[in-house]
Protein backbone atom coordinates (compact mmCIF):
# COMPACT_ATOMS: atom_id res chain seq x y z
CA UNK A 1 0.00 0.00 0.00
CA UNK A 2 1.14 3.51 -0.61
CA UNK A 3 0.46 6.83 -2.16
CA UNK A 4 0.41 7.81 -5.81
CA UNK A 5 1.30 11.40 -6.74
CA UNK A 6 -1.23 12.14 -9.45
CA UNK A 7 -0.68 15.59 -10.93
CA UNK A 8 0.91 18.99 -10.65
CA UNK A 9 -1.25 21.81 -11.93
CA UNK A 10 0.19 25.23 -12.75
CA UNK A 11 3.76 24.67 -11.58
CA UNK A 12 5.99 27.70 -10.98
CA UNK A 13 4.94 31.18 -11.94
CA UNK A 14 4.60 34.32 -9.87
CA UNK A 15 3.11 34.27 -6.39
CA UNK A 16 0.39 36.74 -7.21
CA UNK A 17 -1.61 37.78 -10.21
CA UNK A 18 -3.26 40.92 -11.50
CA UNK A 19 -6.41 39.98 -9.64
CA UNK A 20 -4.61 40.35 -6.29
CA UNK A 21 -4.93 36.66 -5.44
CA UNK A 22 -1.95 34.71 -4.12
CA UNK A 23 -1.30 31.18 -5.38
CA UNK A 24 -1.23 28.62 -2.59
CA UNK A 25 0.22 25.14 -2.96
CA UNK A 26 -2.52 22.64 -2.10
CA UNK A 27 -2.25 18.87 -1.83
CA UNK A 28 -5.54 17.03 -2.19
CA UNK A 29 -5.61 13.55 -0.69
CA UNK A 30 -8.13 11.40 -2.59
CA UNK A 31 -9.18 8.30 -0.66
CA UNK A 32 -11.48 5.74 -2.32
CA UNK A 33 -14.84 5.52 -0.55
CA UNK A 34 -14.64 1.85 0.23
CA UNK A 35 -16.47 0.59 3.31
CA UNK A 36 -14.45 -1.04 6.07
CA UNK A 37 -15.03 -4.80 5.87
CA UNK A 38 -16.51 -6.91 8.69
CA UNK A 39 -18.21 -4.10 10.60
CA UNK A 40 -21.19 -4.79 12.87
CA UNK A 41 -24.63 -3.86 11.58
CA UNK A 42 -25.33 -0.15 11.94
CA UNK A 43 -21.65 0.81 12.27
CA UNK A 44 -20.21 3.72 10.28
CA UNK A 45 -18.94 2.13 7.04
CA UNK A 46 -16.15 4.73 6.79
CA UNK A 47 -14.63 5.08 10.29
CA UNK A 48 -11.29 5.96 8.69
CA UNK A 49 -12.65 9.41 7.69
CA UNK A 50 -12.71 10.56 11.31
CA UNK A 51 -9.30 8.94 11.92
CA UNK A 52 -7.79 10.88 9.00
CA UNK A 53 -9.44 14.14 10.09
CA UNK A 54 -8.13 13.71 13.66
CA UNK A 55 -4.63 12.95 12.32
CA UNK A 56 -4.62 16.03 10.08
CA UNK A 57 -6.01 18.36 12.74
CA UNK A 58 -3.36 17.12 15.19
CA UNK A 59 -0.68 18.03 12.63
CA UNK A 60 -2.35 21.40 12.10
CA UNK A 61 -2.33 22.05 15.87
CA UNK A 62 1.41 21.29 15.88
CA UNK A 63 1.92 23.82 13.07
CA UNK A 64 3.14 21.22 10.56
CA UNK A 65 0.41 21.79 7.93
CA UNK A 66 -2.84 23.66 7.47
CA UNK A 67 -6.13 22.02 6.60
CA UNK A 68 -7.02 24.16 3.57
CA UNK A 69 -10.72 23.38 3.38
CA UNK A 70 -13.23 20.96 4.84
CA UNK A 71 -12.92 17.42 3.54
CA UNK A 72 -15.69 16.39 1.17
CA UNK A 73 -17.06 13.53 -0.85
CA UNK A 74 -16.44 13.83 -4.58
CA UNK A 75 -18.07 10.93 -6.36
CA UNK A 76 -16.42 7.70 -5.26
CA UNK A 77 -13.58 9.35 -3.30
CA UNK A 78 -13.28 11.40 -0.12
CA UNK A 79 -10.96 14.40 -0.50
CA UNK A 80 -8.85 16.06 2.20
CA UNK A 81 -7.08 19.38 1.47
CA UNK A 82 -3.69 20.42 2.88
CA UNK A 83 -1.48 23.49 2.56
CA UNK A 84 0.93 25.46 4.73
CA UNK A 85 4.17 23.61 3.93
CA UNK A 86 6.40 22.74 1.00
CA UNK A 87 5.38 20.16 -1.57
CA UNK A 88 7.69 17.49 -0.14
CA UNK A 89 6.33 17.89 3.38
CA UNK A 90 2.72 17.90 2.20
CA UNK A 91 3.29 14.76 0.13
CA UNK A 92 4.96 13.12 3.14
CA UNK A 93 1.81 13.83 5.18
CA UNK A 94 -0.34 12.44 2.35
CA UNK A 95 1.80 9.31 2.35
CA UNK A 96 1.31 8.93 6.09
CA UNK A 97 -2.47 9.28 5.61
CA UNK A 98 -2.38 6.53 2.96
CA UNK A 99 -0.78 4.14 5.46
CA UNK A 100 -3.03 4.85 8.45
CA UNK A 101 -4.84 1.74 9.69
CA UNK A 102 -8.15 1.24 7.91
CA UNK A 103 -7.51 3.72 5.08
CA UNK A 104 -8.40 1.94 1.82
CA UNK A 105 -5.71 1.15 -0.75
CA UNK A 106 -5.67 3.36 -3.83
CA UNK A 107 -5.17 6.70 -2.11
CA UNK A 108 -3.67 9.35 -4.40
CA UNK A 109 -2.33 12.86 -3.88
CA UNK A 110 -3.07 15.67 -6.31
CA UNK A 111 -0.79 18.71 -6.15
CA UNK A 112 -2.37 21.94 -7.35
CA UNK A 113 -2.43 25.68 -6.85
CA UNK A 114 -5.32 27.25 -4.98
CA UNK A 115 -5.96 30.98 -4.70
CA UNK A 116 -6.45 33.07 -1.62
CA UNK A 117 -6.78 36.84 -1.15
Amino acid sequence: MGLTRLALAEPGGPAGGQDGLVSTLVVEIHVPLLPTPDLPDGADPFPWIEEVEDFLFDLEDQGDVEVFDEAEQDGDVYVFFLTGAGEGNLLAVASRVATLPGVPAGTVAVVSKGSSP
Side-chain angles (χ1 to χ4, degrees):
M1 290 208 211
L3 177 75
T4 301
R5 180 175 182 260
L6 190 58
L8 175 59
E10 302 178 4
Q18 291 181 350
D19 55 8
L21 297 178
V22 176
S23 292
T24 303
L25 180 69
V26 177
V27 168
E28 301 174 9
I29 305 170
H30 293 235
V31 183
L33 269 174
L34 300 173
T36 302
D38 304 321
L39 290 174
D41 289 341
D44 179 2
F46 310 110
W48 52 265
I49 291 174
E50 188 172 333
E51 300 274 336
V52 171
E53 287 176 337
D54 289 346
F55 173 75
L56 295 177
F57 284 119
D58 285 347
L59 291 177
E60 184 175 47
D61 287 345
Q62 296 170 20
D64 295 338
V65 297
E66 294 175 35
V67 176
F68 185 73
D69 203 354
E70 287 190 33
E72 61 187 32
Q73 182 177 344
D74 184 16
D76 59 354
V77 296
Y78 206 79
V79 184
F80 302 89
F81 303 92
L82 298 178
T83 191
E87 181 176 344
N89 290 343
L90 294 173
L91 289 173
V93 170
S95 181
R96 289 174 62 192
V97 165
T99 60
L100 289 173
V103 171
T107 298
V108 298
V110 177
V111 181
S112 62
K113 298 277 183 163
S115 296
S116 60

